[in-house]
Amino acid sequence: MELQRRREREEVSELALGFASQEHELIATELVGMEVEQKQADLVQQFVLLAANARGRAAVELITHATSHPQLFAFSELLASPHIAELKGTEHSASLDLLRLFAHGTWSDYKNNAQMLPTLDPQQELKLKQLTVMTLAETAKVLSYDLLMRQLDISNVRELEDLLINECMYSGIVRGKLDQRRRCFEVQFAAGRDLRPGQLDNMIAVLANWLSSSDNLLLTIQEKIKWADSMSEQDRRHKKEVEDKAEEMRKSIKAEMELRGQQDVVYSEAGALMDFVDEDRSRPKRRR
């Protein structure tokens, strides 16, 4: 019984620690995400202001600058700018499609549609590969090297690890661990990309499921704590009962010993009296 209670207490502790660890990890991830998002918001605002006065060829040059900027990874606000949207159906529509690709697409998407899009310079190629890593990191916590090399069009592990370390983790868009033995990248954090059409509903469903799971976990912990408290109270009552019974036994034994002691004194005094009487009877009487 005691072993079972100990196991239950350990289970409660493990659940509580796991929940606390999860909360700590979520808070740390949220802080990193907020920092990245703040930097993105400042840069996006600068480009949106520039887009307010850019039309035609100037808008195309602004798109080129935005898609090659080493610290910009969000494009939806720029995509929604009226002067940028005006490129649709014009001779510069391919640049608008390219901006849309940088907002929602990957390196594979570009390779499949390269003939209809502007040629990328080296900085744009790097940017699109970084965005591809962000997309992959959103969908899985463990990314195999084979998958990454295939999606990024990279032929060797050294080049892949250099990209992940120098261009992705150092820039703050992802955080994780490289496991060379298992040939995989373990994702700990990934900055979010621009929302694709229909993606918001899926995100709401995922968050609702996480909230439900957290509520269930919290309820389980609370029930375990109540059970542990109940067991502790029963233990305290049982201990009190045992102590009370022991005290009663001590008092009973003490009283009995005192009673026996008194009886021994009486018996001793009675014995002495009888001895005296016998001795007196045995003495010769003096004649008068």
Side-chain angles (χ1 to χ4, degrees), residues 179-224:
D179 191 331
Q180 295 180 334
R181 184 178 61 83
R182 296 170 54 204
R183 289 174 55 86
C184 67
F185 176 56
E186 298 177 1
V187 181
Q188 297 175 338
F189 161 80
R193 292 192 61 183
D194 295 307
L195 292 178
R196 295 180 292 276
Q199 188 179 11
L200 182 59
D201 293 337
N202 182 60
M203 290 183 64
I204 293 175
V206 171
L207 290 174
N209 182 63
W210 178 85
L211 180 60
S212 176
S213 299
S214 298
D215 289 340
N216 292 336
L217 177 60
L218 182 59
L219 180 60
T220 300
I221 292 175
Q222 290 174 341
E223 290 176 351
K224 293 291 185 181

Side-chain angles (χ1 to χ4, degrees), residues 16 23 31 55 59 66 94 140 143 183 211 235 237 243 248 269:
E23 288 294 316
L31 291 175
R55 288 189 172 183
L143 303 173
R183 289 174 55 86
L211 180 60
D235 289 342
R237 287 199 298 266
E243 290 176 347
E248 290 178 4
E269 292 177 351

Side-chain angles (χ1 to χ4, degrees), residues 77-211:
E77 288 86 348
L78 185 60
L79 194 59
S81 177
H83 290 175
I84 299 297
E86 288 176 358
L87 296 177
K88 184 177 180 179
T90 69
E91 59 179 326
H92 305 300
S93 60
S95 293
L96 178 61
D97 294 336
L98 182 66
L99 181 61
R100 189 175 293 111
L101 177 69
F102 271 72
H104 309 302
T106 64
W107 176 255
S108 295
D109 295 330
Y110 176 77
K111 296 285 287 186
N112 294 334
N113 299 279
Q115 67 278 7
M116 297 181 292
L117 295 169
T119 302
L120 301 182
D121 61 32
Q123 191 61 43
Q124 287 175 312
E125 289 186 5
L126 173 60
K127 171 63 64 63
L128 193 51
K129 289 183 178 182
Q130 290 174 308
L131 293 168
T132 300
V133 172
M134 291 170 61
T135 296
L136 294 173
E138 287 179 351
T139 58
K141 291 298 184 182
V142 179
L143 303 173
S144 69
Y145 280 4
D146 291 337
L147 172 65
L148 288 167
M149 287 191 292
R150 184 169 61 253
Q151 292 293 324
L152 299 173
D153 202 18
I154 293 176
S155 59
N156 63 80
V157 172
R158 177 61 181 274
E159 183 181 353
L160 173 64
E161 291 182 338
D162 286 345
L163 174 69
L164 292 173
I165 295 172
N166 299 326
E167 308 299 345
C168 295
M169 285 193 280
Y170 282 174
S171 63
I173 58 176
V174 297
R175 188 176 70 243
K177 296 180 180 179
L178 301 177
D179 191 331
Q180 295 180 334
R181 184 178 61 83
R182 296 170 54 204
R183 289 174 55 86
C184 67
F185 176 56
E186 298 177 1
V187 181
Q188 297 175 338
F189 161 80
R193 292 192 61 183
D194 295 307
L195 292 178
R196 295 180 292 276
Q199 188 179 11
L200 182 59
D201 293 337
N202 182 60
M203 290 183 64
I204 293 175
V206 171
L207 290 174
N209 182 63
W210 178 85
L211 180 60

Side-chain angles (χ1 to χ4, degrees), residues 214-276:
S214 298
D215 289 340
N216 292 336
L217 177 60
L218 182 59
L219 180 60
T220 300
I221 292 175
Q222 290 174 341
E223 290 176 351
K224 293 291 185 181
I225 291 175
K226 289 180 180 178
W227 182 91
D229 290 342
S230 175
M231 291 296 99
S232 297
E233 181 62 27
Q234 291 182 18
D235 289 342
R236 284 193 292 270
R237 287 199 298 266
H238 178 68
K239 182 179 179 181
K240 181 72 165 53
E241 291 174 359
V242 172
E243 290 176 347
D244 291 343
K245 289 181 179 180
E247 183 63 24
E248 290 178 4
M249 291 181 66
R250 283 195 294 269
K251 290 180 179 180
S252 176
I253 292 172
K254 182 179 180 181
E256 184 176 352
M257 291 178 65
E258 289 177 351
L259 179 60
R260 288 182 177 179
Q262 292 175 358
Q263 291 176 347
D264 290 343
V265 170
V266 172
Y267 292 153
S268 177
E269 292 177 351
L273 179 60
M274 292 300 295
D275 291 342
F276 176 78

